[in-house]
């Protein structure tokens, strides 16, 4: 059995550990950032707020990487000093271990020619076809309102569900580690300095090429970056990348991942309309994450989040919203609530002949 | 329910602040009397017509607020378990000074100077407590406080060494508040090596500083502090830059004189400077500032506004007041955000007690911060052995419930700024005590709004860069 060390384990990459049984003959060892060391010895669920996994969080970096073949080193806001990474890298290199870097970390550390795990499908050879071509399979897009929305967990959880129903699933993931699960991460050219039209055409070809090769029944498309600005002071990516991807590939179902807040039905209606007119896809599915945006500070120029757990979120996610409102509001870490949502998606796609034809 | 608004004027314009949108709206002169009627809750044909017009634009919406509840109430236990951002350790209750307006001078509903000090066991427990409960924050801040914390330099050293050993790869920022009389080489080298941010209390020129900040024998502390500062600047210039100063302006003092001292003193000309007035919270007797204080204050504010409009050299603005403009800018930046449009909300002001910046006293008791009364049972949140009592924390977080009836209809709801300590009368949390600060809070907000409108009337560009980024960062840190 191959052992992969995951460092630092944090909410956005915890699905790699939680769903390690989806990676053949592999054990993932989740190692905590120093800031989280007090969780060492606890179950992974202490970190991601989900159900018990039987996977233990480790705090002893050197010992944990000792008998691993691979170290997946991720970017983390809890490791702000580059020298901290250098120290961990030196420690790892004392052992015969292969290190792969998240792309953003590789850029941050100014590493060149280091191995990144993100690309399965290469972008090379994608030209300007001059037109968009229909994708002839059902497409589910997983979108986000920002950070800490458990988007990657929805992506992997949805993959698990549809694979378990016997579907062949092609997937594009928002996380760099996607390839470890056997699918591609969002191609880098979407973040490159290219004009929007060219990105749309290239991404359309990228997906077409993937579909042609893999012949799936379904495409799950993770869409990185927030679909809209938070406010003028926190503009994030202004929703550019989501717009490009959603223009390039028509989605049949859109799932929007968002933090746990006291929402109203009106709010979800507005978001649904936003999806229709801006993202080319009406939104009816909303994942409520195990995090809440903190709003106790008087003034803040960045968003801070508070970790919650699934039990809390499930008991509050319908506060202020009628359960029969027509929207599927779920929490990906609750099997009952997420399976219900994924089943409804399956039914929706099965009953939608147009979706089966695809088309832009 | 009506609308919750505040009408106000400047020499050149008529305005209304609308709580339901958190916006300031310019109104026509002819409309202003109608707006005043609306504000007073008088309804007639005219007000109905005006309301209709405004509501079509999405403002002056009906007040839907019926309940005061802080949005963090439900998630409070998670805050207490994951979001401790700063912990302040009261290393000692001793001090080598006897400042007249000190919180421990006997003039407050507060303990007085004592000889107690925090044991190493309590220090370690406090650090462990914060480390365990700060996994939701990037870097933890540990502050050292007193009394005079440098009287316990050996324990301070051991505390930092404990963090370096047990939590060696955790990012920790250290701060210390000191009276500046006890620096020596070993202390300076240690604080410098661990990148401490140091706040020294300095009240201005010798004659003013020594009026209040005296040693136990009555001798003034000014000369000692200045001697220390000169030494540090000469021998440890890099560390010196990290020292900031706080000046307390007591009633009756000559603001102009203080201002002159700080602008003319080349020793500390580049260090960050902040000013405070004597805290009124938990004070046994009323504190009264005279006209001279207010005139100087308003004149300085006037100069800032003139400088923003290009009529006065911004380099001549008092360093003691330069951050005031940043507050005006911030107020402007946040207009339109987080309006009161739900049935349940809480006025601004309270932090999440026990999470934002808990203070541990020498016995390990937890308080919301170092500024509250340690004698108040309402403020005692728990103990480092047992953690914060969520019921008590919730009571402080939802301090607005004490004055629910008034807060529901208050236009200053989003800019109030009164935390739980304003309601602490020494024996209990009291609504009337809290309400006694409302007027000054509202007046402060009104002044800021008037400044904003005045600046706009004269063409000031709030998106511009009157103060550079560094100024803003300094102010942000201070805040």
């Amino acid at each position: 059995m191959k052992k992969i060390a995951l460092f630092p384990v944090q909410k956005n990459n915890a699905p790699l550990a939680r769903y390690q049984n989806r990676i053949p003959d592999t054990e993932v060892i989740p190692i905590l950032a120093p800031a989280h060391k007090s969780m060492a010895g606890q179950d992974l669920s202490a970190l991601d707020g989900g159900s018990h996994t039987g996977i233990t969080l480790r705090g002893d970096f050197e010992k944990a990487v000792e008998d691993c073949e691979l170290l997946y080193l991720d970017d983390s806001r809890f490791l702000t000093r580059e020298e901290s990474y250098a120290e961990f890298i030196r420690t790892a290199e004392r052992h015969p271990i292969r290190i792969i870097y998240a792309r953003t970390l590789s850029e941050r550390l100014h590493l060149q020619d280091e191995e990144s795990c993100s690309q399965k499908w290469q972008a090379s050879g994608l030209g300007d076809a001059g037109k968009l071509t229909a994708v002839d399979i059902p497409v589910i897009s997983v979108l986000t309102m920002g950070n800490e929305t458990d988007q990657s967990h929805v992506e992997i959880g949805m993959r698990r569900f549809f694979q378990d129903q016997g579907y062949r699933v092609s997937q594009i993931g928002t996380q760099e580690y996607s390839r470890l699960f056997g699918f591609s991460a969002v191609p880098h050219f979407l973040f490159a300095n290219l004009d929007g039209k060219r990105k749309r055409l290239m991404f359309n070809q990228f997906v077409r090429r993937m579909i042609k090769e893999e012949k799936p029944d379904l495409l799950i498309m993770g869409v990185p970056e927030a679909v809209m600005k938070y406010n003028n002071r926190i503009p994030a990516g202004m929703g550019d990348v989501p717009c490009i991807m959603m223009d390039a590939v028509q989605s049949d179902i859109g799932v929007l991942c968002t933090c746990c807040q006291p929402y109203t039905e009106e709010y979800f209606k507005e978001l649904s309309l936003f999806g229709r007119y801006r993202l080319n896809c009406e939104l009816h599915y909303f994942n409520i994450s195990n995090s809440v945006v903190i709003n106790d500070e008087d003034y803040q120029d960045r968003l801070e989040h508070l970790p919650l757990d699934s039990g809390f979120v499930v008991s509050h996610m319908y506060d202020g919203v009628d359960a029969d409102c027509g929207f599927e509001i779920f929490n990906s870490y609750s099997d009952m609530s997420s399976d219900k949502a994924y089943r409804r998606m399956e039914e929706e796609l099965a009953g939608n002949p147009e979706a089966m034809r695809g088309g832009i | 329910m009506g609308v919750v608004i505040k009408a106000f004027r400047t020499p050149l314009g008529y305005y209304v602040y609308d709580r339901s949108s958190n916006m300031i709206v310019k109104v026509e002169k002819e409309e202003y009397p109608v707006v005043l009627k609306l504000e007073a809750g008088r309804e007639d044909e005219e007000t109905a017509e005006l309301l209709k017009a405004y509501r079509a634009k999405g403002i002056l919406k009906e007040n839907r607020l019926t309940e005061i509840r802080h949005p963090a109430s439900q998630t409070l236990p998670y805050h207490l378990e994951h979001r401790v951002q700063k912990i302040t350790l009261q290393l000692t209750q001793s001090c080598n000074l006897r400042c007249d307006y000190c919180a421990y001078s006997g003039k407050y509903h507060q303990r007085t100077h004592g000889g107690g000090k925090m044991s190493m066991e309590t220090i370690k427990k406090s650090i462990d407590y914060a480390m365990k409960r700060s996994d939701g924050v990037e870097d933890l801040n540990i502050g050292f406080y007193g009394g005079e914390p440098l009287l316990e330099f050996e324990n301070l050293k051991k505390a930092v060494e404990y963090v370096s050993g047990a939590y060696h790869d955790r990012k920790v920022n250290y701060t210390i508040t000191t009276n500046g009389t006890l620096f020596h080489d070993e202390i300076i080298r240690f604080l410098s090596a661990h990148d401490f941010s140091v706040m020294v209390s300095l009240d201005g020129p010798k004659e003013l500083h020594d009026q209040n900040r005296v040693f136990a024998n009555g001798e003034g502390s000014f000369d000692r502090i200045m001697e220390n500062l000169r030494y540090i600047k000469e021998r440890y210039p890099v560390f010196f830059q990290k020292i900031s100063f706080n000046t307390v302006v007591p009633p009756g003092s000559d603001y102009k004189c203080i201002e002159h001292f700080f602008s003319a003193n080349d020793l500390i000309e580049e260090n960050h400077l902040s000013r405070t007035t004597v805290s009124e919270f938990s004070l046994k007797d009323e504190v009264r500032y005279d006209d001279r204080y207010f005139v100087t204050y308003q004149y300085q504010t006037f100069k800032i506004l003139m400088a923003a409009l290009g009529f006065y050299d911004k380099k001549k603005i008092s360093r003691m007041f330069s951050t005031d403009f940043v507050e005006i800018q911030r107020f402007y930046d946040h207009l339109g955000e987080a309006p009161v449009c739900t049935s349940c909300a809480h006025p601004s002001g309270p932090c999440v007690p026990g999470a934002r910046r808990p203070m541990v006293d020498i016995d390990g008791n937890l308080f919301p911060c170092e500024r509250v009364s340690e004698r108040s049972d309402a403020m005692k949140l728990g103990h480092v052995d047992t953690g914060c009592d969520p019921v008590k924390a919730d009571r402080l977080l939802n301090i607005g419930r004490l004055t629910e009836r008034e807060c529901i209809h208050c236009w200053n709801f989003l800019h109030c700024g009164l935390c739980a300590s304003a309601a602490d009368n020494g024996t209990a949390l009291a609504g009337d005590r809290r309400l006694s600060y409302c007027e000054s809070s509202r007046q402060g907000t009104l002044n800021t709004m008037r400044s904003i409108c005045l600046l706009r009337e004269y063409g000031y560009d709030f998106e511009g860069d009157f103060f550079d980024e560094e100024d803003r960062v300094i102010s942000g840190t201070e805040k």
Side-chain angles (χ1 to χ4, degrees):
Chain A
M1 168 132 357
K2 187 166 78 177
K3 282 189 178 178
I4 300 176
L6 166 61
F7 178 80
V9 61
Q10 50 197 8
K11 279 199 77 180
N12 69 330
N13 62 31
L16 179 58
R18 183 172 274 275
Y19 290 109
Q20 56 184 274
N21 60 356
R22 294 276 153 174
I23 312 172
D25 298 323
T26 301
E27 183 186 354
V28 176
I29 314 288
I31 311 170
L32 292 157
H36 296 152
K37 246 183 186 170
S38 59
M39 288 187 209
Q42 295 184 52
D43 187 78
L44 179 68
S45 55
L47 183 82
D48 67 15
S51 57
H52 186 83
T53 61
I55 300 161
T56 305
L57 293 164
R58 303 278 297 266
D60 47 347
F61 181 85
E62 177 147 24
K63 203 160 170 24
V65 298
E66 218 167 56
D67 52 350
C68 289
E69 290 171 36
L70 190 76
L71 166 63
Y72 175 63
L73 209 52
D74 206 348
D75 201 359
S76 171
R77 74 182 182 92
F78 289 100
L79 280 170
T80 48
R81 289 178 296 189
E82 277 72 33
E83 58 267 35
S84 300
Y85 274 107
E87 207 174 301
F88 285 114
I89 291 167
R90 276 196 299 276
T91 304
E93 284 175 345
R94 286 203 282 268
H95 304 281
I97 194 168
R98 210 174 105 219
I99 304 176
I100 54 175
Y101 298 81
R103 181 178 55 85
T104 47
L105 178 63
S106 184
E107 284 168 8
R108 196 176 134 195
L109 300 180
H110 309 293
L111 298 173
Q112 285 175 344
D113 303 325
E114 296 297 340
E115 190 177 358
S116 163
C117 68
S118 61
Q119 290 308 312
K120 179 182 178 188
W121 292 94
Q122 295 305 314
S124 58
L126 294 175
D128 186 348
K131 63 172 186 173
L132 297 170
T133 311
V135 172
D136 290 331
I137 55 161
V139 178
I140 301 176
S141 289
V142 184
L143 303 124
T144 182
M145 287 292 280
N147 296 329
E148 307 274 333
T149 64
D150 296 342
Q151 183 185 23
S152 57
H153 188 257
V154 173
E155 293 169 26
I156 311 280
M158 197 183 284
R159 177 184 180 85
R160 171 194 61 82
F161 176 86
F162 282 102
Q163 282 184 335
D164 288 353
Q165 307 306 310
Y167 294 96
R168 280 169 298 155
V169 177
S170 276
Q171 193 153 3
I172 297 168
T174 53
Q175 292 299 315
E176 305 280 331
Y177 57 72
S178 298
R179 193 168 174 187
L180 297 173
F181 282 103
F183 59 91
S184 188
V186 175
H188 295 174
F189 66 78
L190 283 169
F191 307 99
N193 189 19
L194 299 170
D195 74 60
K197 180 184 171 189
R198 185 163 159 73
K199 284 182 184 176
R200 282 166 174 82
L201 293 168
M202 284 175 73
F203 184 65
N204 179 257
Q205 284 188 56
F206 178 86
V207 172
R208 293 267 306 165
R209 189 188 282 182
M210 178 193 293
I211 302 295
K212 192 176 172 191
E213 184 72 23
E214 295 184 350
K215 299 184 175 54
D217 301 313
L218 171 73
L219 170 66
I220 298 172
M221 185 167 83
V223 181
E225 298 193 353
V227 294
M228 63 176 85
K229 67 179 182 182
Y230 188 79
N231 59 31
N232 285 348
R233 283 173 295 104
I234 308 172
M238 302 273 198
D240 278 353
V241 172
C243 263
I244 288 167
M245 291 176 71
M246 299 298 279
D247 275 351
V249 176
Q250 170 75 55
S251 292
D252 300 286
I253 289 177
V255 182
L256 185 62
C257 302
T258 185
C259 287
C260 182
Q261 301 283 151
Y263 297 119
T264 60
E265 200 169 319
E266 196 185 342
Y267 176 79
F268 288 120
K269 278 181 187 162
E270 292 288 334
L271 281 179
S272 184
L273 288 176
F274 171 86
R276 180 194 289 176
Y277 294 115
R278 170 105 182 199
L279 301 170
N280 209 18
C281 169
E282 215 150 318
L283 302 169
H284 289 127
Y285 296 86
F286 298 94
N287 173 64
I288 310 297
S289 78
N290 287 350
S291 292
V292 60
V293 174
I294 295 174
N295 54 7
D296 71 308
E297 273 111 337
D298 294 338
Y299 301 110
Q300 44 185 334
D301 293 323
R302 65 173 187 175
L303 292 182
E304 287 285 329
H305 298 84
L306 177 72
L308 304 172
D309 60 62
S310 201
F312 177 90
V313 175
V314 169
S315 65
H316 287 95
M317 65 188 183
Y318 272 99
D319 288 356
V321 183
D322 191 333
D324 299 324
C325 62
F327 297 119
E328 192 68 46
I329 298 163
F330 67 103
N331 172 262
S332 65
Y333 282 98
S334 154
D335 287 344
M336 192 189 284
S337 118
S338 58
D339 280 2
K340 179 171 167 276
Y342 301 152
R343 200 165 296 118
R344 182 172 161 188
M345 289 177 204
E346 184 190 11
E347 284 164 11
E348 191 177 327
L349 291 174
N352 181 5
E354 202 169 319
M356 300 308 289
R357 282 202 308 273
I360 290 175
Chain B
M1 293 290 286
V3 290
V4 181
I5 56 174
K6 176 64 189 167
F8 63 96
R9 294 177 55 177
T10 65
L12 293 183
Y14 298 84
Y15 300 89
V16 60
Y17 168 77
D18 168 35
R19 191 180 77 171
S20 74
S21 60
N22 190 21
M23 284 164 72
I24 300 170
V25 182
K26 189 162 192 200
V27 298
E28 297 300 324
K29 186 180 176 185
E30 301 74 41
E31 286 174 345
Y32 193 68
V34 189
V35 172
L36 287 173
K37 272 199 277 183
L38 267 176
E39 184 184 341
R42 298 204 303 271
E43 291 176 17
D44 59 19
E45 218 171 274
E46 267 187 324
T47 57
E49 200 178 318
L50 190 70
L51 263 186
K52 194 176 165 193
Y54 277 135
R55 283 183 180 162
K57 294 174 188 169
I59 52 178
L60 268 68
K61 289 180 219 151
E62 185 85 4
N63 179 18
R64 291 169 57 193
L65 190 61
T66 54
E67 186 190 353
I68 298 296
R69 197 172 74 231
H70 197 284
S73 304
Q74 284 185 330
T75 53
L76 181 59
Y78 295 89
H79 280 272
L80 297 176
E81 286 304 308
H82 300 284
R83 287 280 310 180
V84 173
Q85 297 169 59
K86 175 178 182 177
I87 190 147
T88 301
L89 308 183
Q90 185 186 65
L91 286 185
T92 175
Q93 292 185 341
S94 294
C95 186
N96 57 333
L97 298 190
R98 290 292 177 270
C99 304
D100 189 50
Y101 45 67
C102 175
Y104 312 120
S105 62
K107 293 186 174 177
Y108 288 80
H109 298 290
Q110 175 68 291
R111 67 166 177 84
T112 51
H113 290 296
K117 65 176 198 174
M118 190 179 268
S119 68
M120 260 326 286
E121 190 194 354
T122 305
I123 288 173
K124 285 181 182 174
K125 276 184 186 172
S126 305
I127 291 167
D128 294 341
Y129 176 89
M131 288 290 179
K132 192 177 173 195
R133 289 165 176 81
S134 58
D135 57 68
V137 299
E138 201 172 313
D139 43 354
L140 178 67
N141 192 312
I142 299 179
F144 296 98
Y145 199 72
E148 169 49 46
L150 288 180
L151 285 173
E152 288 303 319
F153 176 59
E154 283 309 311
N155 274 356
L156 183 151
K157 244 180 18 179
K158 285 180 194 164
V160 174
E161 282 159 6
Y162 177 65
V163 173
S164 304
Y167 303 96
H168 63 96
D169 38 14
R170 181 78 203 260
K171 193 178 172 197
V172 175
N173 300 319
Y174 296 106
T175 58
I176 185 168
T177 306
T178 172
N179 60 34
T181 60
L182 295 172
F183 287 121
H184 57 66
D185 282 312
E186 189 193 354
I187 288 177
I188 298 163
R189 276 197 293 266
F190 185 84
L191 299 182
S192 175
H194 292 88
D195 209 20
F196 267 69
S197 294
V198 180
M199 165 83 82
V200 172
S201 308
L202 183 64
D203 287 355
K206 181 176 167 62
E207 59 274 23
L208 280 180
H209 179 95
D210 285 350
Q211 270 177 23
N212 294 300
R213 295 193 179 273
V214 294
F215 289 101
N217 63 5
E219 191 186 321
S221 59
F222 181 84
D223 290 339
R224 175 85 60 87
I225 296 169
M226 296 309 279
E227 189 185 325
N228 285 341
L229 293 175
R230 268 190 293 273
Y231 181 76
I232 295 171
K233 190 170 186 179
E234 189 189 314
R235 301 282 295 272
Y236 306 94
V238 177
F239 174 66
F240 188 79
Q241 288 170 0
K242 289 209 75 178
I243 298 179
S244 61
F245 295 94
N246 180 50
T247 181
V248 179
V249 184
S253 57
D254 187 345
Y255 229 146
K256 251 176 123 176
C257 181
I258 300 171
E259 159 51 24
H260 180 73
F261 169 78
F262 283 110
S263 47
N265 192 306
D266 54 4
L267 177 67
I268 56 174
E269 64 187 350
E270 285 172 4
N271 298 68
H272 179 60
L273 175 65
S274 60
R275 70 167 203 283
T276 50
T277 49
V278 173
S279 173
E280 296 173 81
F281 298 162
S282 301
L283 196 61
K284 287 174 184 167
D285 301 314
E286 197 180 358
V287 59
R288 274 192 185 279
Y289 282 85
D290 58 15
D291 285 351
R292 202 166 45 155
Y293 167 83
F294 291 106
V295 168
T296 311
Y297 180 83
Q298 282 169 6
Y299 181 57
Q300 295 295 340
T301 306
F302 173 72
K303 284 204 290 193
I304 290 171
L305 299 183
M306 290 296 102
L309 294 170
F311 300 133
Y312 186 74
D313 183 356
K314 75 175 181 180
K315 288 184 186 134
K316 291 184 183 170
I317 295 173
S318 163
R319 287 164 61 213
M320 286 170 69
F321 288 86
S322 59
T323 53
D324 287 29
F325 190 83
V326 185
E327 290 307 313
I328 294 174
Q329 176 77 45
R330 279 215 174 107
F331 193 106
Y332 177 85
D333 288 344
H334 291 263
L335 281 171
E337 288 177 11
V340 182
C341 52
T342 55
S343 61
C344 176
H346 195 282
S348 70
C351 66
V352 178
R356 175 78 77 89
R357 46 187 297 182
M359 192 273 278
V360 190
D361 76 0
I362 56 165
D363 299 317
N365 296 307
L366 287 156
F367 296 87
C369 70
E370 71 281 8
R371 294 177 186 171
V372 302
S373 169
E374 293 159 44
R375 280 207 174 146
S376 168
D377 185 56
M379 293 294 168
K380 198 178 285 180
L381 288 172
H383 193 274
V384 286
D385 287 337
T386 51
C388 283
D389 177 349
V391 176
K392 280 186 138 182
D394 182 77
R395 206 172 291 145
L396 298 185
L397 179 69
N398 283 288
I399 195 68
R401 281 184 190 156
L402 282 179
T403 50
E404 183 167 76
R405 196 162 46 92
E406 290 82 0
C407 291
I408 279 174
H409 302 287
C410 180
W411 62 266
N412 195 31
F413 194 89
L414 293 169
H415 308 282
C416 165
L418 293 178
C419 71
S421 61
D424 187 8
N425 67 11
T427 52
L429 298 172
D432 58 345
R433 180 86 175 189
R434 178 174 156 82
L435 291 175
S436 70
Y437 296 108
C438 288
E439 191 45 43
S440 66
S441 172
R442 280 195 289 261
Q443 194 56 49
T445 304
L446 199 53
N447 287 344
T448 304
M449 292 198 298
R450 283 202 176 106
S451 296
I452 287 171
C453 294
L454 193 83
L455 287 167
R456 285 290 296 266
E457 285 161 4
Y458 283 93
Y460 179 73
D461 177 13
F462 275 98
E463 309 304 326
D465 54 354
F466 171 59
F467 279 99
D468 59 24
E469 199 53 39
E470 194 185 346
D471 290 325
R472 291 183 191 210
V473 170
I474 287 169
S475 170
T477 310
E478 175 54 24
K479 191 171 172 54

